[in-house]
């Protein structure tokens, strides 16, 4: 359905005068990403009369009823403060597995529109997007850390690592896994991102959740990253956790030297000592 879906996206925009422009974002706009069957169509329609388009249900009339759908702007989950969004999104997966993430953005709020560097203009009835740069992933390049960012990420990693150790010592598997995966791992991945960025003049992206990390690490290093993941077995989790803390410490020291950043070696040493004390 992908080719048909692409045709339908443009046909609807051409036929409905309220839709003034069509922008392709995401991986399909990224020249560095090899196309595959799982890619979404990330589309922005610049429109007049969002409420009318929603009320008339033209999206479903044109594209058909999705097999699975989410409309995040109608949900309280993720918007607990109930802030009214400017745009409106339909996230849709169809029976053949193709996916369309479609956002309606009001043309009268165009001054608030933040154009993604991964953007290809498919249709522009009013010449709203003349002379935009060629699509690239520059918005997603790893940024060089400041001293404060580096210090705080390292501190968060080491401080919260003690909670992982405590949970494992108590055999509180859910707590230990939650701390390790949802609190400590993001700091680990951030440090790896900075390492990869520094190795590539901060001109690369590691992708969402670090999905492109494999491209930038040697086989040995990448396998070490994989060994930081485990099942819920206590012993296996200890081993994965030790691999993570050891590798983090190694990268922390390398980055500090390479980027002229101060490393709190005492903090790392004392955290590792505490973890070792608990494990033994």
């Amino acid at each position: 359905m992908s080719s048909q879906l692409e045709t339908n996206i443009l046909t609807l925009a051409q036929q409905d005068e309220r839709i003034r422009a069509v922008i392709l974002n995401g991986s399909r706009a990224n020249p560095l990403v090899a196309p595959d069957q799982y890619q979404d169509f990330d589309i922005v329609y610049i429109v007049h009369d969002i409420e009318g388009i929603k009320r008339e249900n033209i999206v479903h009339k044109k594209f058909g009823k999705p097999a699975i759908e989410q409309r995040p702007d109608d949900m309280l989950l993720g918007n607990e403060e109930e802030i009214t969004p400017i745009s409106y999104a339909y996230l849709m997966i169809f029976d053949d597995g193709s996916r369309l993430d479609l956002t309606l953005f009001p043309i009268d709020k165009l001054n608030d529109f933040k154009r993604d560097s991964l953007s290809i203009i498919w249709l522009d009835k009013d010449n709203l997007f003349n002379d935009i740069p060629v699509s690239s992933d520059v918005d997603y390049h790893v940024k060089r850390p400041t001293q404060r960012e580096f210090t705080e990420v390292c501190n968060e990693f080491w401080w919260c690592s003690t909670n992982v150790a405590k949970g494992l010592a108590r055999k509180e598997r859910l707590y230990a896994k939650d701390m390790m995966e949802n609190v400590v791992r993001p700091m680990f991945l951030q440090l790896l991102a900075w390492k990869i960025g520094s190795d590539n003049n901060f001109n690369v992206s590691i992708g969402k959740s670090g999905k492109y990390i494999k491209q930038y690490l040697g086989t040995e290093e990448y396998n070490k990253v994989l060994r930081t993941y485990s099942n819920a077995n206590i012993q296996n989790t200890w081993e994965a956790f030790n691999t993570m803390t050891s590798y983090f410490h190694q990268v922390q020291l390398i980055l500090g030297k390479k980027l002229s950043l101060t490393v709190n070696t005492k903090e790392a040493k004392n955290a590792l000592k505490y973890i070792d004390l608990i494990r033994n």
Side-chain angles (χ1 to χ4, degrees), residues 206-226:
I206 66 165
K208 187 174 183 179
S209 302
K211 62 183 178 180
Y212 301 140
I213 276 178
K214 184 179 181 180
Q215 299 176 20
Y216 301 106
L217 294 180
T219 301
E220 183 178 346
E221 283 189 297
Y222 182 65
N223 286 335
K224 190 180 294 184
V225 172
L226 294 182

Side-chain angles (χ1 to χ4, degrees), residues 69-120:
E69 180 178 26
Q70 185 178 93
R71 301 192 196 180
D73 298 312
D74 287 339
M75 297 171 66
L76 181 59
L77 183 65
N79 186 29
E80 286 77 6
E81 296 181 4
E82 299 188 66
I83 299 171
T84 303
I86 295 175
S87 58
Y88 187 83
Y90 297 84
L91 311 181
M92 299 173 285
I93 298 177
F94 299 95
D95 286 330
D96 67 349
S98 60
R99 173 168 170 160
L100 171 59
D101 292 356
L102 176 63
T103 299
L104 308 178
F105 193 93
I107 195 168
D108 61 332
K109 299 290 186 181
L110 207 53
N111 287 338
D112 297 318
F113 183 70
K114 296 180 180 179
R115 187 189 60 80
D116 195 299
S117 66
L118 287 173
S119 294
I120 297 175

Side-chain angles (χ1 to χ4, degrees), residues 118-136:
L118 287 173
S119 294
I120 297 175
I121 307 303
W122 271 6
L123 182 67
D124 188 357
K125 297 176 182 178
D126 306 312
N127 298 316
L128 300 171
F129 299 99
N130 288 334
D131 302 321
I132 71 165
V134 174
S135 182
S136 77

Side-chain angles (χ1 to χ4, degrees), residues 20-60:
R20 306 310 301 168
V22 182
I23 304 171
L24 174 71
N25 295 140
S27 65
R28 287 183 181 270
N30 190 343
L32 301 178
V33 174
D36 67 26
Q37 61 183 316
Y38 307 111
Q39 284 181 306
D40 308 340
F41 280 93
D42 293 298
I43 298 292
V44 179
Y45 279 168
I46 305 297
V47 303
H48 290 294
D49 190 17
I50 285 182
E51 292 305 315
I53 292 173
K54 289 164 57 180
R55 185 172 58 252
E56 295 168 26
N57 198 27
I58 66 166
V59 170
H60 286 167

Side-chain angles (χ1 to χ4, degrees), residues 8-9 39 72 89 133 155 164 171 229:
N8 288 345
I9 290 166
Q39 284 181 306
N155 176 257
V164 178
K171 295 184 169 49
Y229 293 88

Side-chain angles (χ1 to χ4, degrees), residues 14-15 19 70 76 117 133-134 152-153 168 180 206 234 255 259:
Q14 290 161 346
Q15 292 175 345
I19 303 173
Q70 185 178 93
L76 181 59
S117 66
V134 174
E152 290 184 359
V153 162
L168 290 173
M180 183 168 171
I206 66 165
I234 294 292
L255 267 183
L259 301 181

